Amino acid sequence: MNPLLIAEGLHKSYGPTTALAGADLVLHAGEILSIMGPSGSGKSTLLHCAAGLTSPDSGHITYDGRLLTEMSDVERSALRRREFGFVFQFGQLVPELTALENVALPLRLDGIRKRAAERRATGLLDRLGLAGKARSRPGELSGGQQQRVAVARALIAEPKVLFADEPTGALDSVSGEQVMEMLTRSARQSGAAVVLVTHDARIAAYADRGIVVRDGRSLDRARAR
Amino acid sequence: MTRVLTEMLLGMRLAFAGGRRGRTRTALSTGGVALGTAVLLLSASVPVMLDTRQARIEAFGPFTGGVDVPAGDTLLVGVVESSWHGSDLRGLLMWPETERAPVPPGIPAFPPDGRMYVSPALREALAAPGSDRLRAQMPYEIAGTIGDAGLAGPQELAYYAGNRTLPDRIGEGAYRLERFGAYRVSEDDDTATYVMLGLMVATLLLPVAIFIGASLRFGGDARDRRLAAIRLVGGDNRATLRIAVGESLVPTAAGLLAGTVTYLLVRAMIGRLSLFDVSVFTSDVRPMPVLAALSVAAVIILAAAMTLLGLRGVAIEPLGVVRRTVLWRGRLWWRLILPVLGLVLMYPAFTGGKAETMVTIGVIALLTGLIPLVPYLIPLVVGAVPGGPVSWQLASRQLRQNPVASTRAVTGIVVGVAGVIALNATFATVDVQRKVHDDPADADYSIIGSTDPSPAAMKRLNAAFERVDGVKATTTASYTLYDPATDTYQGFLFVGDCEALDGIADIGRCADGDAFVFGDTGRDVTVKDGPRVAVPAKARPAVLTGSTAQNVFAAVLFTPAAAPEGLSRAGLDFVTTSIRLTSGTPAEKSGDIRAAAISVDPFLQVTNLVSEADRYGAMKTALNIGSTIILLLMGLGLLLDVADRLHDRRRLLGVLAAIGATRATVLRSVMLQALVPVVAGLALAVATGIGLGVVLMRLSEVPVRIDPVAVFSPVAAGAALVLICTVAILLPAARRVTSTEQLQHE
Amino acid sequence: MTIATAFLALLESGPRHGYDLKQAYDQHFGVDRPLHYAQVYTTLAKLLRNGLVTVDGVEGDGGPDRKRYTVTEAGVTDVQRWLDEPEKPQQYLQSGLYAKVIGALLTGRSAAAVLDAQRDEHLDAMRELTRRKMDGDLADRLICDHALFHLDADLRWLEHTADHLDELAEQVRG
Ligand SMILES: Nc1ncnc2c1ncn2[C@@H]1O[C@H](COP(=O)(O)OP(=O)(O)OP(=O)(O)O)[C@@H](O)[C@H]1O
Ligand SMILES: [Mg+2]
């Protein structure tokens, strides 16, 4: 089977700081991949590069046979809208919109009518146990609920890849696991692959496979062996 | 296409979202735009208003341009100019010479003798209590009302009366008119007035534009964060731009609408207002189509520009908002273009040139150039004091980081105050000049006419005026002297009793039969259209005083007993009655004096010498009213701006409080952040204002003099405004912003 | 905890047949290791002998399956004593893992490789447990969590040790 996303030899520096020094990443369709490593090792940078949110200084990223590094902003935006979903640690919801509107946002941006978009969003919120909170604004939700809304928003467009950077970082272990279970379950149901950055082994254990990043270099043990 | 629409709609949705705060913000922006639009539309209506008003006035103007019209199907008219309670009162006496004589616009037929048509405002004034003295000025029965066509404005005081004595008064105030509107009087304003008007419009309109811009930027930081979140879920650069535009479209469109409604309301009420003795008909208030379109376009362009400017220097990336420049580094050169251009264009003011358009553009350019200059000043000022307590450190960092945001609300104040200073200083100087100019030797009133110059008639004239309490009247008759050899004007021959002559010249002791001489008269003088008069050998030298002395090179003064033979009405220049008040004020006596004058002869010209109308009086009033409104508007903007920034930074302030900053420290730092731009801005305003003031004084041809009160009262007003607004926001918010509970939100 | 104590605890809620006992045990205590019938009957025989249970009825042909067991006073006391006694925390001082690390360092082999291999192993185990946990009921989840927390602790130790390998190598060789 061909990998869905391949990142090879990524280098990225911020001034004097080297964030990535030749990191690789291979993601197959539908698989859940964890990225672990110590703080500051470059996990987030790797994820951002792989998702096309930042451009690496050198290296190639191929998504579905296309070079991500050579796409225009418009193409990459379209990719984010249709093929990628994102869940970050916090602060990714639009505070002015309700939970329902936040979830429906990617569909609306893709030109889907409000009613249809919100119907699908309602269904997804239901599945994530947030039926009663659809009309609440992010400020009125708990951290766990906000993360679940973020998960719903990331999954609404039925993306092929879900990028999650410390999605449970701000949560206690019970709500963290709730979020992770819903995330992995929904991802498997819709066949989305997941790239999961975490420093918590118990969260990483939700993945099928894991890589470790150290000093900007990734170790893929499964491939090394 | 639908994508674009969806995104715009989403942006509009965002303008309404965000709970109470979000809605307040949108409402404030809308209000700002509405206010600005209304002001712009009103300004756009001024040219049409003035034009139609002028056209109307010209159409009923009873002027011949000094030409003697031969008798025919002509109307005999006489203009009576007077005033009532500070407003001009226009009277037109008329008597047709044939049935086909022209009927003035606004009335259906000639009023019969002793009857008059009155304007609605005059009818009202006559019906009001205490109008006896007004009534006495017009001894006519009301026959009807003057229609709009015969009036300059709805609040104008005017009457058209029939007077059968006119045929006897031809040449003494009455004259023949072939048709109305035949001769158009065009007033040309002097350069100074023109430039001052330009400066005033800029002083009042620029802050409005700045206010509109600032109100569209309310909540800008929150918007940037919102757009970043949208980028993350797949909005591309253009989509975020469209969303931002959609968002700003709501207050813009709503504001344009509300502004138009406000404009229409003001327009509907305008007929009831009389500002600076000018009233306009509602139907005259229509925006000039080009200017109206320009106003609307200006608002829309401003909205778009503010949106784009807001996004400039800020990259909305999926991972958040990136300020491209960490440390703000404003470049100076382009900020200097406008001020330098302004100075260059103003140059003719110093060389005495009359390039008013150029100077006006220069003045406006200099004033506009202040806008980008203010933010540039901030880092300089802040950099001058590197050390200092923690509160200063916090404030100065924030100011350096984003001077544009910190000065957004202050710029309007700076521009407004600079303009007001310039105009105020000029008015103050002109004012002083005017008071000095008036001669203390002059009487309080001067009444000029062509009545009987015989000594007996002059006595009767005095008696007629002295029937008014507290009035001392003296009368002289003046005849024009000319030099037959060169056929040029030479001076005057005055006839009057000792008291009267004493009023116009220093004559020393005097008895009836005395004569006096002033200047180089020669042995004899020639009266125009009159006899040759020998200057008596016993004539004593005298010196003319007061305004009588102006432009008179030679004069002979006779007491009645010494008056030469052969003087007739033909050579008469004027019969002038000087009135001095022995009790009471001009305001109290004017009505009675005018009434007395009209009872003697409706064509007597009554001039009030002590408080001659101020040349810039109307502009001063307009400036005072306008600048008050503008400063209040700016205060409101500042209030909202401080509140907005406080809200945006409340998390940071909460963190500061959490790590142990005292409330006083936090408050001081916020205070400093608000005050430093104001102090810097006002300093700039004072410098510019004084500079512009000097230019205006040069143009007004008055000695350059800077009145500290005129300069510092707007500064004090601006500073007080800022202080009050900042304190008004900070005190109630103090507890809230320094509460560590803010950390929990978002 | 022994199988005998577990049986006593199960019988305290009511008499049961031997077959029921095995089922209940497997459900609550067995998790990974279901009981053999042989174990069930030898345990029950031992309990009978010690007077901790009695047979309160025989049905049908009287085979081992057909006996119904009840707990005695002595049996209940036994359960109480078991619960009263806290479990002794394990000291974890004799860690095979630590031994391997020292071994690698002493012999000049790569201790990091040892740790990495172990981490993979642990993570594999954790993934397996997480999968089971997501499919299981509450009892399963709690059991899996117990194991996951322990493995997580081990992993943290592995990371921690990896961070200090250089220092440790110096001490061992020095
Ligand atoms: N925008 C940035 N500017 C400067 N340096 C950065 C930036 N982003 C990351 N870095 C640096 O790059 C390195 C890797 O950062 P990265 O965020 O990828 O680490 P991480 O593995 O995600 O850490 P953590 O587990 O703490 O989130 C760090 O040393 C960090 O300081
Ligand atoms: Mg990170």
Side-chain angles (χ1 to χ4, degrees):
Chain A
M1 190 175 59
N2 276 336
L4 184 62
L5 181 77
I6 305 166
E8 283 173 314
L10 299 186
H11 287 260
K12 174 86 187 172
S13 302
Y14 294 103
T17 329
T18 305
L20 291 181
D24 303 320
L25 181 144
V26 175
L27 181 73
H28 295 276
E31 83 169 336
I32 302 181
L33 174 75
S34 70
I35 302 179
M36 294 185 69
S39 184
S41 56
K43 304 182 294 293
S44 299
T45 311
L46 176 58
L47 178 117
H48 294 157
C49 287
L53 295 178
T54 34
S55 308
D57 298 337
S58 67
H60 299 285
I61 302 149
T62 322
Y63 172 76
D64 210 7
R66 287 177 294 162
L67 264 181
L68 204 66
T69 26
E70 287 181 0
M71 287 187 186
S72 69
D73 174 64
V74 174
E75 286 173 301
R76 270 190 296 200
S77 297
L79 213 56
R80 283 203 299 278
R81 227 159 35 230
R82 303 197 182 121
E83 317 249 319
F84 293 172
F86 295 91
V87 182
F88 290 160
Q89 191 168 346
F90 53 67
Q92 54 207 308
L93 299 176
V94 182
E96 284 83 3
L97 297 182
T98 64
L100 185 66
E101 287 167 332
N102 260 295
V103 174
L105 189 58
L107 296 183
R108 300 284 318 279
L109 280 173
D110 214 13
I112 292 177
R113 298 277 282 281
K114 184 166 195 253
R115 184 165 308 166
E118 292 195 348
R119 197 168 42 237
R120 262 167 73 185
T122 310
L124 200 51
L125 280 175
D126 261 353
R127 267 186 20 221
L128 291 171
L130 287 168
K133 298 286 181 187
R135 301 269 159 225
S136 311
R137 260 188 276 278
E140 301 158 357
L141 296 174
S142 77
Q145 288 165 339
Q146 285 183 32
Q147 283 310 84
R148 277 185 279 162
V149 173
V151 169
R153 193 181 69 181
L155 289 170
I156 185 120
E158 299 183 343
K160 298 234 173 56
V161 188
L162 180 69
F163 293 94
D165 191 350
E166 309 271 14
T168 63
L171 306 180
D172 66 63
S173 70
V174 175
S175 24
E177 296 207 2
Q178 264 181 4
V179 168
M180 277 315 297
E181 279 193 24
M182 293 192 169
L183 189 150
T184 46
R185 228 187 274 279
S186 312
R188 284 196 206 287
Q189 262 174 25
S190 59
V194 179
V195 180
L196 173 64
V197 167
T198 178
H199 59 258
D200 185 344
R202 298 206 308 121
I203 298 301
Y206 282 89
D208 303 322
R209 201 162 63 81
I211 61 172
V212 176
V213 178
R214 281 230 173 81
D215 299 331
R217 259 181 279 273
S218 57
L219 281 85
D220 192 339
R221 302 278 302 169
R223 290 212 306 166
R225 248 186 268 164
Chain B
M1 194 58 223
T2 51
R3 269 278 297 288
V4 173
L5 266 181
T6 321
E7 282 154 8
M8 302 270 263
L9 283 175
L10 179 67
M12 289 159 101
R13 163 86 185 81
L14 286 172
F16 290 111
R20 201 166 58 89
R21 240 195 94 72
R23 278 194 299 275
T24 315
R25 211 149 50 201
T26 307
L28 288 178
S29 303
T30 308
V33 175
L35 222 58
T37 309
V39 171
L40 286 180
L41 283 177
L42 277 176
S43 316
S45 305
V46 169
V48 177
M49 194 174 88
L50 293 181
D51 275 359
T52 49
R53 189 183 144 85
Q54 189 60 35
R56 189 195 301 281
I57 291 174
E58 282 176 0
F60 64 66
F63 305 111
T64 61
V67 181
D68 280 334
V69 176
D73 288 335
T74 43
L75 181 68
L76 285 170
V77 291
V79 175
V80 183
E81 279 170 354
S82 173
S83 70
W84 177 245
H85 285 334
S87 298
D88 285 342
L89 170 58
R90 180 170 63 89
L92 187 67
L93 308 184
M94 60 189 77
W95 197 249
E97 293 190 297
T98 70
E99 275 169 12
R100 286 183 301 282
V103 179
I107 58 173
F110 295 114
D113 182 40
R115 296 169 67 87
M116 65 176 171
Y117 287 89
V118 291
S119 71
L122 180 59
R123 186 189 282 272
E124 230 169 86
L126 285 171
S131 62
D132 307 351
R133 282 171 299 160
L134 177 64
R135 198 77 192 78
Q137 290 190 38
M138 44 194 86
Y140 310 98
E141 292 292 313
I142 295 179
T145 307
I146 306 174
D148 289 355
L151 297 174
Q155 300 297 322
E156 193 189 21
L157 299 176
Y159 62 91
Y160 287 2
N163 189 321
R164 70 178 334 149
T165 68
L166 290 185
D168 307 332
R169 308 298 303 272
I170 295 171
E172 296 171 12
Y175 54 91
R176 291 197 170 86
L177 190 69
E178 209 170 19
R179 62 188 174 88
F180 285 87
Y183 182 78
R184 325 226 126 174
V185 192
S186 66
E187 304 167 30
D188 49 358
D189 286 326
D190 56 325
T191 312
T193 312
Y194 190 87
V195 176
M196 275 187 221
L197 266 175
L199 175 57
M200 189 146 94
V201 169
T203 302
L204 299 183
L205 286 192
L206 274 180
V208 172
I210 295 172
F211 178 75
I212 294 181
S215 48
L216 283 169
R217 274 294 293 167
F218 288 143
D221 288 352
R223 187 204 56 189
D224 294 350
R225 266 181 264 124
R226 195 156 59 222
L227 292 178
I230 287 169
R231 287 279 280 146
L232 181 65
V233 295
D236 55 44
N237 262 327
R238 273 174 298 165
T240 39
L241 206 62
R242 283 192 288 262
I243 290 172
V245 167
E247 212 179 317
S248 68
L249 217 58
V250 171
T252 309
L256 277 175
L257 205 73
T260 310
V261 170
T262 312
Y263 165 74
L264 290 177
L265 284 179
V266 171
R267 181 177 177 272
M269 290 190 307
I270 209 154
R272 270 175 256 156
L273 303 175
S274 172
L275 210 57
F276 321 129
D277 205 19
V278 168
S279 63
V280 289
F281 291 105
T282 292
S283 57
D284 285 357
V285 181
R286 327 182 272 278
M288 224 168 118
V290 180
L291 288 184
L294 270 181
S295 307
V296 172
V299 172
I300 292 173
I301 288 171
L302 211 58
M306 282 322 281
T307 308
L308 295 181
L309 270 182
L311 293 176
R312 197 189 58 115
V314 170
I316 310 278
E317 290 295 344
L319 288 175
V321 181
V322 188
R323 310 241 169 242
R324 286 213 186 96
T325 40
V326 179
L327 195 66
W328 190 83
R329 242 183 262 288
R331 264 190 295 271
L332 185 60
W333 67 266
W334 66 266
R335 286 164 212 277
L336 287 179
I337 294 178
L338 270 181
V340 168
L341 186 76
L343 288 176
V344 168
L345 289 177
M346 281 189 307
Y347 183 69
F350 291 94
T351 55
K354 284 268 164 193
E356 62 265 280
T357 312
M358 204 166 124
V359 176
T360 309
I361 292 177
V363 167
I364 294 173
L366 183 60
L367 211 57
T368 314
L370 288 181
I371 300 173
L373 215 51
V374 178
Y376 185 81
L377 269 186
I378 304 303
L380 294 184
V381 173
V382 170
V385 189
V390 184
S391 53
W392 171 248
Q393 192 190 351
L394 290 171
S396 63
R397 283 301 140 76
Q398 177 63 21
L399 284 171
R400 247 170 204 252
Q401 189 86 22
N402 203 347
V404 179
S406 321
T407 50
R408 205 175 286 137
V410 179
T411 323
I413 298 181
V414 173
V415 171
V417 168
V420 172
I421 287 178
L423 291 169
N424 250 354
T426 310
F427 292 154
T429 307
V430 172
D431 218 26
V432 169
Q433 185 74 3
R434 185 167 60 79
K435 281 184 183 138
V436 170
H437 202 73
D438 271 356
D439 203 307
D442 277 344
D444 295 329
Y445 293 87
S446 157
I447 295 154
I448 299 170
S450 307
T451 48
D452 185 356
S454 70
M458 292 202 280
K459 268 203 161 57
R460 282 200 300 279
L461 204 55
N462 289 344
F465 283 108
E466 284 176 357
R467 273 200 286 275
V468 179
D469 269 353
V471 162
K472 178 82 195 116
T474 57
T475 305
T476 57
S478 55
Y479 300 84
T480 311
L481 298 181
Y482 86 113
D483 184 349
T486 57
D487 197 15
T488 50
Y489 155 82
Q490 196 180 13
F492 288 109
L493 185 156
F494 292 100
V495 179
D497 56 26
C498 280
E499 237 177 334
L501 294 183
D502 190 41
I504 59 169
D506 281 338
I507 51 175
R509 94 196 126 73
C510 169
D512 201 7
D514 286 353
F516 305 89
V517 65
F518 167 73
D520 176 22
T521 53
R523 288 183 162 283
D524 49 35
V525 291
T526 308
V527 175
K528 188 165 175 269
D529 297 333
R532 207 176 163 80
V533 176
V535 178
K538 60 175 174 126
R540 293 197 302 273
V543 180
L544 293 183
T545 57
S547 36
T548 317
Q550 285 171 19
N551 297 320
V552 180
F553 314 110
V556 194
L557 298 85
F558 292 101
T559 47
E565 294 293 307
L567 290 178
S568 71
R569 284 180 88 154
L572 183 66
D573 172 45
F574 281 122
V575 174
T576 305
T577 307
S578 296
I579 287 183
R580 288 184 166 76
L581 293 180
T582 55
S583 69
T585 62
E588 288 163 9
K589 300 293 176 194
S590 288
D592 288 341
I593 292 170
R594 283 184 204 285
I598 287 172
S599 68
V600 172
D601 179 351
F603 296 124
L604 289 185
Q605 271 185 45
V606 181
T607 311
N608 189 342
L609 289 175
V610 270
S611 70
E612 186 207 340
D614 187 347
R615 178 149 63 125
Y616 298 122
M619 276 175 75
K620 236 151 90 178
T621 321
L623 180 72
N624 287 340
I625 296 178
S627 60
T628 309
I629 294 174
I630 291 301
L631 278 182
L632 284 179
L633 198 68
M634 294 296 104
L636 183 71
L638 187 77
L639 207 76
L640 300 175
D641 187 72
V642 173
D644 192 55
R645 276 191 290 145
L646 218 54
H647 185 85
D648 269 345
R649 307 189 60 227
R650 69 199 193 287
R651 202 185 138 79
L652 174 71
L653 296 176
V655 171
L656 283 178
I659 60 171
T662 61
R663 180 169 301 163
T665 304
V666 175
L667 286 185
R668 260 202 305 276
S669 101
V670 177
M671 242 353 219
L672 281 170
Q673 268 179 61
L675 290 188
V676 168
V678 171
V679 172
L682 285 181
L684 188 64
V686 169
T688 316
I690 289 179
L692 285 177
V694 168
V695 172
L696 291 181
M697 287 175 216
R698 292 293 306 243
L699 287 175
S700 309
E701 288 158 1
V702 294
V704 172
R705 199 187 68 93
I706 301 299
D707 178 18
V709 176
V711 169
F712 286 104
S713 51
V715 172
L721 197 72
V722 170
L723 214 67
I724 289 169
C725 291
T726 315
V727 170
I729 277 293
L730 277 186
L731 282 189
R735 187 171 297 276
R736 206 160 35 78
V737 294
T738 54
S739 133
T740 44
E741 271 160 44
Q742 296 300 331
L743 292 175
Q744 286 173 4
H745 299 299
E746 284 173 55
Chain C
M1 187 202 60
T2 61
I3 300 172
T5 323
F7 277 13
L8 290 175
L10 287 170
L11 287 173
E12 205 178 316
S13 62
R16 289 171 192 261
H17 291 103
Y19 177 75
D20 293 341
L21 269 174
K22 172 193 152 46
Q23 293 288 310
Y25 180 92
D26 285 353
Q27 189 193 337
H28 293 297
F29 304 108
V31 198
D32 278 334
R33 279 168 293 154
L35 285 180
H36 293 296
Y37 278 104
Q39 273 176 300
V40 175
Y41 296 114
T42 50
T43 306
L44 281 172
K46 210 157 55 179
L47 289 173
L48 265 178
R49 200 167 55 239
N50 293 342
L52 299 174
V53 298
T54 55
V55 176
D56 84 335
V58 183
E59 288 156 29
D61 59 4
D65 271 3
R66 296 287 153 237
K67 284 183 184 144
R68 229 164 62 135
Y69 299 90
T70 312
V71 70
T72 64
E73 275 301 310
V76 172
T77 316
D78 221 43
V79 172
Q80 187 61 47
R81 199 181 310 131
W82 168 57
L83 288 178
D84 283 348
E85 181 89 348
E87 289 286 300
K88 232 189 166 45
Q90 287 183 32
Q91 295 295 307
Y92 300 111
L93 284 177
Q94 292 304 317
S95 165
L97 253 171
Y98 180 70
K100 274 195 180 165
V101 171
I102 297 294
L105 287 175
L106 281 173
T107 57
R109 290 189 176 84
S110 166
V114 171
L115 290 176
D116 281 346
Q118 192 60 48
R119 182 188 299 108
D120 286 349
E121 201 60 34
H122 266 64
L123 272 172
D124 278 344
M126 285 180 78
R127 284 194 202 104
E128 178 56 33
L129 283 166
T130 304
R131 215 166 294 136
R132 265 179 64 185
K133 169 175 132 178
M134 283 178 71
D135 298 335
D137 57 12
L138 183 61
D140 276 333
R141 303 177 72 96
L142 288 176
I143 296 261
C144 290
D145 274 337
H146 187 237
L148 279 167
F149 280 121
H150 278 91
L151 289 171
D152 189 34
D154 281 353
L155 263 177
R156 280 189 216 175
W157 178 82
L158 287 172
E159 289 295 340
H160 182 70
T161 310
D163 283 347
H164 294 279
L165 266 185
D166 294 344
E167 234 175 295
L168 186 65
E170 266 174 39
Q171 282 187 13
V172 169
R173 291 196 205 108

